[in-house]
Amino acid sequence: MTRTIIKDAVKRTDFGAEINVKGWVRTRRGNKNVSFIALNDGSTINNIQVVVDLTKFSEEELKTITTGASLSVNGILAESMGQGQSVEIQATAIEIYGAADPEKYPLQKKGHTLEYLREIAHLRPRTNTFGAVFRIRHNMAMAIHTFFHERGFFYFNTPIITSSDCEGAGQMFQVTTQNLYDLKKDENGVIDYANDFFGSQTALTVSGQLEGELGAMALGAIYTFGPTFRAENSNTPRHLAEFWMIEPEVAFIEIAENMQLAQDFVQYCVNWALKNCKDDIDFLAKMYDNELIDRLKFVVENDFVRLTYTEGIKILKNYIAQGKKFEFSVDWGTDLQSEHERFLVEEHFKKPVILTDYPKEIKSFYMKQNDDGKTVRAMDVLFPKIGEIIGGSQREESLEKLTRRAQEMNVPEKDIWWYMDTRRFGTAPHSGFGLGFERLMLFVTGMQNIRDVIPFPRAPKSANF
Ligand code: 4AD
Ligand code: MG
């Protein structure tokens, strides 16, 4: 008999029909006469109830049907009298594919802590919580591709292994095939990369932006969507060493249109989640965060505030003058801390905020310089609970200004000569941004820790599975 996935099975109304489902046992309970198996196959948060008449099956046959076991069930689809489900299956034959020893299977009781589940990340997708999170993650990826495809953007694949440091932060994981026990160095103690695999020093990319700009300056509008890597030693609930980033890059648009694109994009994704992930979001809201759905609707329905960095500093300083205390000081010229960003978003405006025109010293070399000589056309999108969800900018299109800024910031010409060619040949205004996929996931799921929205998180001292 062909299998029906449980997502479809729970919607069927052809009661009396024969049906086959396969899945993993969530629970089994019952009495002397009847056993109830809650079966889940990952297609939905909902289980299907399998009713086993013990006059037709022996206890012996059912002995290994315990939490975590994998089954194929043939039976008759029936209307359920029980609460919380509309259909059930009256079993006629059960095949046990694999048992899960109750003495050893770690996912016995409900209510394991998220910290514990992180230690068994190889099994946690089988829990309701992580099933919901990873189904939403898939949906967000579909939303992202659909959004850009519908608007004529091309999916442009930028390299994972690179020899340039886009963000200039020096937080890169090196890639080498050299024997680390026997590193070849010259007389000055400098490592000789000529014999390395690529013949030069290489690392995992921190961002696909520089190559993305090459794409935009040819195809008009592109986006990247891939893994990026940062060896920053940030042990926080919002940082990963390996995270996924979406980076649209568009020729002929300036910062204002870039901001609108960012807002439309995030709203589209959140709306997609509300429309297509209702069961999973309802579950997460019920379990972890009863304000989740209101927060999602709020973001879809409201424009984001647009504000310059300088104005933001003014607002924060005003609060400090009135007695408000922050852990970190607020000074024009230094980066805002997440407590400051969240204060602006959560307490002052009570809306997402797009902060623009940051001091050039705290931003990357490629950002367009304003006429004031002090600020650049950067934009950060700040979200409730998350802080920075997007970072982007209008790009400097003038070869002369860009060259000067790269020198000032010690970005070697030999590493970016190809990037500079976009300014040398047919340069044009262009803009783009990067959305941290897991930051979006944090927002949409209401989860608190970024390690709980990616299947196998990589963080300092942690690369298991
Ligand atoms: O602000 P960032 O560093 O910007 C860039 O990389 C630009 N090249 C993007 C562009 O203009 N094309 O990173 C962009 C976003 C952040 O706003 C944040 O959401 C996410 O990437 N992000 C991280 N997410 C998880 N863990 C980390 N360690 C992250 N670092 C940045
Ligand atoms: Mg940033």
Side-chain angles (χ1 to χ4, degrees):
M1 207 184 306
T2 51
R3 171 186 170 213
T4 305
I5 61 170
I6 290 173
K7 183 183 177 190
D8 296 335
V10 293
K11 287 190 214 134
R12 276 173 62 166
T13 51
D14 52 335
F15 305 121
E18 279 190 287
I19 186 169
N20 170 270
V21 294
K22 302 181 199 298
W24 293 269
V25 175
R26 282 294 160 81
T27 56
R28 178 159 80 93
R29 60 188 176 79
N31 54 39
K32 283 203 305 286
N33 307 318
V34 62
S35 200
F36 299 102
I37 301 167
L39 201 67
N40 188 286
D41 66 1
S43 60
T44 160
I45 189 101
N46 300 306
N47 303 327
I48 196 155
Q49 171 158 280
V50 177
V51 184
V52 187
D53 180 346
L54 293 181
T55 59
K56 295 182 189 143
F57 292 83
S58 71
E59 246 328 301
E60 188 59 26
E61 278 175 281
L62 303 183
K63 205 172 65 207
T64 55
I65 301 182
T66 57
T67 298
S70 168
L71 311 180
S72 174
V73 176
N74 287 349
I76 307 297
L77 194 72
E79 199 163 4
S80 175
M81 299 301 142
Q83 268 195 340
Q85 73 244 343
S86 50
V87 306
E88 62 187 29
I89 295 174
Q90 279 148 6
T92 51
I94 299 178
E95 181 182 352
I96 301 167
Y97 288 130
D101 185 347
E103 302 289 317
K104 296 191 183 131
Y105 185 59
L107 291 175
Q108 288 303 329
K109 62 175 174 51
K110 290 185 179 172
H112 288 301
T113 65
L114 294 170
E115 287 76 14
Y116 171 70
L117 292 173
R118 246 169 259 152
E119 291 168 20
I120 51 164
H122 59 305
L123 293 172
R124 69 178 181 169
R126 292 194 195 178
T127 63
N128 285 332
T129 295
F130 287 94
V133 167
F134 298 141
R135 279 187 296 271
I136 294 171
R137 192 177 162 106
H138 161 80
N139 266 276
M140 289 299 88
M142 297 307 291
I144 288 160
H145 284 298
T146 309
F147 175 86
F148 287 118
H149 179 69
E150 282 176 350
R151 279 159 190 75
F153 285 60
F154 299 105
Y155 182 31
F156 191 70
N157 300 124
T158 52
I160 304 282
I161 300 174
T162 173
S163 49
S164 68
D165 181 358
C166 170
E167 290 306 302
Q171 298 169 322
M172 303 183 87
F173 290 100
Q174 290 199 45
V175 174
T176 179
T177 52
Q178 298 202 65
N179 179 355
L180 297 180
Y181 293 101
D182 183 24
L183 263 186
K184 297 277 180 293
K185 296 182 186 165
D186 68 12
E187 57 275 21
N188 302 317
V190 176
I191 297 170
D192 178 12
Y193 287 101
N195 291 320
D196 206 339
F197 188 89
F198 296 106
S200 63
Q201 187 173 11
T202 52
L204 298 178
T205 188
V206 296
S207 158
Q209 180 196 322
L210 299 190
E211 292 91 348
E213 284 186 47
L214 311 182
M217 295 302 277
L219 300 167
I222 63 92
Y223 68 105
T224 72
F225 186 179
T228 49
F229 307 85
R230 299 209 181 166
E232 53 189 337
N233 204 357
S234 301
N235 241 320
T236 83
R238 280 185 281 281
H239 288 88
L240 289 165
E242 176 179 302
F243 64 98
W244 288 62
M245 186 152 53
I246 299 94
E247 295 185 276
E249 191 70 36
V250 192
F252 315 118
I253 72 165
E254 305 207 3
I255 187 86
E257 279 175 90
N258 203 31
M259 286 193 266
Q260 192 60 44
L261 179 67
Q263 178 183 319
D264 292 347
F265 174 43
V266 180
Q267 286 179 331
Y268 184 90
C269 293
V270 174
N271 203 28
W272 182 295
L274 284 168
K275 281 212 182 104
N276 298 291
C277 310
K278 190 174 181 314
D279 288 354
D280 289 323
I281 286 181
D282 284 348
F283 172 81
L284 294 172
K286 189 177 83 198
M287 290 295 290
Y288 299 102
D289 183 350
N290 52 27
E291 289 166 7
L292 174 63
I293 294 166
D294 287 341
R295 217 162 43 242
L296 298 183
K297 286 189 178 150
F298 187 80
V299 159
V300 171
E301 286 158 10
N302 286 281
D303 269 335
F304 302 176
V305 174
R306 284 137 169 91
L307 187 77
T308 66
Y309 166 92
T310 303
E311 289 167 324
I313 294 286
K314 218 179 279 170
I315 292 170
L316 290 167
K317 277 189 176 294
N318 257 332
Y319 277 102
I320 292 170
Q322 289 164 30
K324 166 84 195 147
K325 297 257 181 298
F326 290 110
E327 190 186 336
F328 295 92
S329 68
V330 174
D331 304 293
W332 198 98
T334 58
D335 219 350
L336 292 182
Q337 298 294 323
S338 123
E339 57 171 343
H340 307 134
E341 296 174 344
R342 291 185 58 176
F343 183 82
L344 286 174
V345 171
E346 290 165 25
E347 317 264 333
H348 183 76
F349 289 108
K350 299 192 164 66
K351 272 186 189 183
V353 172
I354 312 182
L355 215 55
T356 58
D357 302 288
Y358 282 72
K360 64 178 181 190
E361 283 76 19
I362 58 172
K363 290 292 182 186
S364 304
F365 77 99
Y366 51 69
M367 296 189 180
K368 183 170 175 67
Q369 298 159 43
N370 282 319
D371 292 337
D372 63 11
K374 292 189 217 148
T375 58
V376 288
R377 275 190 208 167
M379 54 173 245
D380 278 7
V381 180
L382 311 178
F383 254 49
K385 296 225 166 215
I386 313 293
E388 181 190 334
I389 193 165
I390 284 178
S393 68
Q394 184 171 341
R395 319 305 188 189
E396 182 56 74
E397 80 260 27
S398 147
L399 176 63
E400 190 200 326
K401 286 188 185 167
L402 185 62
T403 306
R404 203 176 327 122
R405 195 69 194 130
Q407 279 163 2
E408 284 166 7
M409 297 186 77
N410 297 316
V411 182
E413 166 76 19
K414 70 167 178 40
D415 289 353
I416 53 160
W417 61 270
W418 46 272
Y419 177 70
M420 300 311 252
D421 266 3
T422 52
R423 276 60 169 180
R424 225 166 253 133
F425 309 119
T427 191
H430 62 289
S431 306
F433 59 82
L435 168 78
F437 190 43
E438 288 76 19
R439 301 256 174 109
L440 173 70
M441 280 296 300
L442 279 178
F443 184 72
V444 169
T445 60
M447 299 299 281
Q448 304 277 339
N449 193 312
I450 200 162
R451 297 175 197 204
D452 296 334
V453 294
I454 186 167
F456 304 103
R458 266 78 186 104
K461 303 281 179 287
S462 162
N464 285 332
F465 312 109

